[in-house]
Amino acid sequence: MAQVKVGILGAGGIAKVHTGILRRDDRVQIVGVADISADRAHALAGEAGGARPVGSLEELFDLGVDAVYVTTPNTLHVEPVLACLQRNIHVFSEKPMSTSLEGARQIRDAAKVSKAIYNLGMNRRYASVYKRLKELIASSELTPYLAHIKMNRGELLQPEWTANPQVTGGFLYETPFHLIDLCRYLFGEVESVYCQGRQNLSAAELDTFAFVLSFTSGTIANFVTYAHAGWSFPFESVEVYGKYATAATQELEKVMYAPGLKQAAQLHDFFQVPIEEKWGYVEEDRLFIDAILYGSKPPVSAEDGYRSIQLLEAVYESARTGEKIELFKYAE
Ligand SMILES: NC(=O)c1ccc[n+]([C@@H]2O[C@H](COP(=O)([O-])OP(=O)(O)OC[C@H]3O[C@@H](n4cnc5c(N)ncnc54)[C@H](O)[C@@H]3O)[C@@H](O)[C@H]2O)c1
């Protein structure tokens, strides 16, 4: 394959980010951009340099794409992903994988038999601050006994559909899903979750959550997330506590590591790094194209994505029932 021919389905905000990155990759040619809005498809196709604006996934297939980026709103991921996998067309799906366990299961099963690669866009795993945390934990420099995690959203006003749980799948499937997935990435699989949820400002759903996670590794974590915090800094942070040691992130900008008593703390500040790099998009796109061209492991597989949906659904179940949920009951 000389160049990977990519089609984009859904020409909104995040599609613009991926398009900007893929355009600079000589191994990629963006051949088509599809959107139900002809104006949006035209505008992004213009930015993609020679891509054809079209109205549907079928028209992207007609252009002979090797891979599709699915960048439609949350509840519109499963159907196009399955259509790609059935045709053995590689697919990069934006998060979330699905907004139900059943949808995630269908994708996982389809990915097992497809000759194509499925990759889930969990960019936080490749964000500069979280790569640093992962390194500290993987190298055993920091043993994570306890973690304190916050992932607030400022509003559910932009894009407009984020206020509608019929389109988001529920608030947890919005920004909180990033750090729900990241918890598994950093601390391993979860054994149990106990959540308290409230409906404060949203008309139709729970928008306030506090939960406790117990991991099989022995780590315990508390996680708070609220939908309408007004974007006050820091709205996203992870603190990890080990043996006389602490690592703490502030947004996707800074990470501090205090390695022990009477030692200086180390600060990594990524302020000047371009957003698409420090938020992990550049690396996840590169790894997806590497996987297509060289057969390397895709960044986040369907099995991995499925487990994060299991965890998210367990959080909702605990919030709704008031019960502690043991994750093994979801195992299969
Ligand atoms: N990884 C991240 O950091 C990140 C950031 C933002 C959004 N996202 C995810 O990306 C997805 C898109 O979010 P966004 O902010 O770009 O939304 P957006 O509203 O800006 O863009 C979505 C686009 O999809 C189009 N669309 C809707 N239905 C369609 C259909 N059936 N066929 C073709 N096009 C259709 C819309 O017209 C719109 O142009 C969401 O799932 C969101 O959760 C991820």
Side-chain angles (χ1 to χ4, degrees):
M1 196 185 294
Q3 269 187 317
V4 180
K5 287 190 201 161
V6 168
I8 310 268
L9 180 73
I14 198 65
K16 196 177 161 76
V17 174
H18 290 298
T19 299
I21 295 164
L22 294 173
R23 258 212 83 172
R24 295 195 298 273
D25 188 334
D26 293 340
R27 304 170 304 167
V28 173
Q29 185 193 3
I30 303 177
V31 294
V33 175
D35 201 291
I36 46 171
S37 153
D39 287 349
R40 286 184 181 215
H42 271 274
L44 193 64
E47 288 181 32
R52 186 162 325 157
V54 295
S56 68
L57 180 61
E58 291 301 325
E59 289 167 272
L60 288 181
F61 292 153
D62 292 344
L63 294 175
V65 292
D66 303 306
V68 170
Y69 271 65
V70 173
T71 49
T72 44
N74 298 3
T75 42
L76 301 173
H77 294 174
V78 176
E79 208 181 305
V81 164
L82 291 176
C84 289
L85 291 175
Q86 279 152 11
R87 285 171 179 74
N88 296 318
I89 289 171
H90 307 296
V91 61
F92 180 113
S93 169
E94 256 309 333
K95 50 67 53 180
M97 180 182 199
S98 158
T99 52
S100 70
L101 208 48
E102 177 50 30
R105 194 177 286 128
Q106 284 175 19
I107 291 176
R108 185 190 62 172
D109 293 348
K112 271 185 196 152
V113 294
S114 177
K115 293 193 182 79
I117 289 163
Y118 171 85
N119 178 64
L120 181 62
M122 300 310 312
N123 60 296
R124 291 296 195 285
R125 294 187 182 201
Y126 302 94
S128 308
V129 294
Y130 297 132
K131 279 177 71 171
R132 173 77 182 133
L133 271 192
K134 178 76 176 169
E135 273 166 24
L136 289 170
I137 294 168
S139 66
S140 301
E141 247 183 287
L142 177 67
T143 303
Y145 296 126
L146 180 64
H148 181 58
I149 297 155
K150 174 169 75 170
M151 179 83 245
N152 283 343
R153 234 192 107 106
E155 33 68 23
L156 292 180
L157 302 170
Q158 295 285 340
E160 224 172 276
W161 55 262
T162 55
N164 184 354
Q166 302 301 322
V167 183
T168 61
F171 168 58
L172 291 183
Y173 280 107
E174 263 306 294
T175 33
F177 185 62
H178 282 293
L179 290 204
I180 288 174
D181 173 75
L182 191 83
C183 280
R184 288 187 47 251
Y185 185 58
L186 293 177
F187 310 124
E189 297 304 337
V190 171
E191 220 163 55
S192 69
V193 55
Y194 173 66
C195 179
Q196 290 269 299
R198 299 280 184 274
Q199 183 176 349
N200 284 307
L201 295 185
S202 293
E205 62 169 328
L206 298 173
D207 55 12
T208 309
F209 298 81
F211 49 96
V212 176
L213 299 163
S214 301
F215 295 80
T216 52
S217 60
T219 303
I220 52 174
N222 72 342
F223 191 128
V224 295
T225 180
Y226 170 56
H228 313 283
W231 297 122
S232 314
F233 284 0
F235 50 83
E236 171 170 351
S237 64
V238 175
E239 293 179 13
V240 184
Y241 313 118
K243 186 179 176 188
Y244 309 123
T246 295
T249 63
Q250 275 181 38
E251 313 300 353
L252 295 169
E253 300 293 323
K254 290 181 192 173
V255 56
M256 184 281 298
Y257 174 50
L261 300 172
K262 301 181 183 173
Q263 294 180 53
Q266 303 157 12
L267 182 70
H268 284 66
D269 186 333
F270 300 97
F271 176 73
Q272 298 209 47
V273 177
I275 282 198
E276 61 275 20
E277 206 177 308
K278 72 181 162 192
W279 284 44
Y281 301 118
V282 170
E283 186 163 341
E284 67 173 356
D285 284 342
R286 181 178 56 73
L287 291 173
F288 176 58
I289 302 300
D290 284 354
I292 294 171
L293 287 173
Y294 318 126
S296 49
K297 195 173 162 293
V300 186
S301 69
E303 180 63 39
D304 207 346
Y306 175 76
R307 286 169 185 243
S308 289
I309 300 286
Q310 280 184 326
L311 174 56
L312 186 148
E313 283 295 320
V315 177
Y316 264 132
E317 187 181 345
S318 179
R320 287 180 188 125
T321 60
E323 303 285 325
K324 176 176 159 189
I325 305 298
E326 305 286 345
L327 265 288
F328 70 79
K329 79 171 234 192
Y330 284 96
E332 41 179 297

